[in-house]
Amino acid sequence: MGSSFQYLCHFETDNGSRFFTKCSSTNPATGIPVDAYPTYEDLLQGRNATTATIAKLLPPVPQTSNSIYCVGLNYRSHATEAKLNVPANPPVWTKPPASLASPNETIPVSRFCASHLPDWEGELVFVTSRECRDITPDQAHEYILGYTVGNDLSCRFFQLPEQSGGQFFYAKAFDKFAPIGPVLASPSIFEKQRASATLVTKINGVVKQDTVIAKDMIFPPERVLSWMSQSTTIPAYTVVMTGTPAGVGVFQKPRQLLKDGDQVEVEISGLGTLKNVVRFEEGQDSIM
């Protein structure tokens, strides 16, 4: 299923109306009128077009009520820094729909989350184009609508063995802990840079993660989607976060965890830069 866009943008106007538009770059300009469509289906069909002005970017996905899938230990460098063996298959869990957050959005971090080792994970993200089940890796590209940038925010305390019981859902499922964006790039656009694309995460302008994705990633998106879909129906427009490379805060020496007011920037070649500020609105307790 081919994409009818180069870059898909989802946005809100000053009065709160929401629209989709096609972009010509990874950096949509705010304050400029664009051809806008009330739904993604309208955009596909070229119907119900209007003119609207981008005031705020939203997650670049056609609908936002699906669970978000996540993959762990999918970069050799991250498995090495975590001192964990590379698994035979992609470890998968989900985040609830309420975890989704927008590009440029200030991420409100509760006192509970701020006090339990909040951390960053810059990630390559893809979005499914249609429902799938039991697909092969060779078929998977037919079910990928596009690619974007994500940050799998995590409270590391709840990943500790004595806390987690071996599962990661709780540590990562908090509200607004899955910002993605700024745009969704079509597979044909991303494929041009995929072999050499880099992922770079900066905290307050300081580089923390820097890798060539294709050289470091263990399970490519097609293998991930195939594995997810075995005996499991994956809905159309499911967001899939494909794992993070070395350089997360908990493994820095000494540990460097997120602080109130930190700006996180995740940049992937050909997909743009996802920027978010984290705000500890209720303060923070020391637990360590």
Side-chain angles (χ1 to χ4, degrees), residues 72-88:
L73 292 176
N74 198 20
Y75 284 74
R76 292 174 183 86
S77 63
H78 182 53
T80 298
E81 73 173 355
K83 296 181 173 60
L84 293 171
N85 294 326
V86 173

Side-chain angles (χ1 to χ4, degrees), residues 20-196:
F20 292 88
T21 191
K22 300 176 184 180
C23 305
S24 59
S25 78
T26 61
N27 187 26
T30 58
I32 296 177
V34 296
D35 294 331
Y37 300 85
T39 68
Y40 175 65
E41 287 68 28
D42 287 332
L43 181 145
L44 287 181
Q45 300 298 323
R47 67 190 182 206
N48 299 322
T50 187
T51 299
T53 300
I54 299 174
K56 182 173 73 172
L57 295 178
L58 299 171
V61 60
Q63 62 91 3
T64 57
S65 59
N66 293 333
S67 292
I68 301 154
Y69 275 73
C70 302
V71 181
L73 292 176
N74 198 20
Y75 284 74
R76 292 174 183 86
S77 63
H78 182 53
T80 298
E81 73 173 355
K83 296 181 173 60
L84 293 171
N85 294 326
V86 173
N89 294 296
V92 174
W93 64 89
T94 60
K95 291 177 180 255
S99 293
L100 202 62
S102 301
N104 305 318
E105 181 173 3
T106 297
I107 306 299
V109 179
S110 69
R111 192 177 192 92
F112 180 78
C113 293
S115 303
H116 288 93
L117 312 183
D119 201 353
W120 61 84
E121 288 193 4
E123 310 217 355
L124 173 67
V125 174
F126 69 86
V127 177
T128 60
S129 59
R130 53 193 170 119
E131 183 181 286
C132 61
R133 184 179 188 268
D134 293 323
I135 63 171
T136 67
D138 287 341
Q139 294 170 327
H141 70 94
E142 302 171 20
Y143 296 86
I144 294 178
L145 181 65
Y147 294 87
T148 189
V149 186
N151 183 3
D152 178 18
L153 291 165
S154 310
C155 285
R156 298 298 185 191
F157 181 81
F158 302 114
Q159 287 185 263
L160 299 175
E162 63 272 20
Q163 295 286 332
S164 70
Q167 62 80 38
F168 292 166
F169 175 90
Y170 192 83
K172 295 167 173 283
F174 301 108
D175 288 355
K176 303 290 187 181
F177 265 41
I180 65 170
V183 296
L184 188 70
S186 72
S188 62
I189 290 289
F190 185 57
E191 285 300 330
K192 295 175 183 177
Q193 300 197 45
R194 182 167 167 175
S196 60

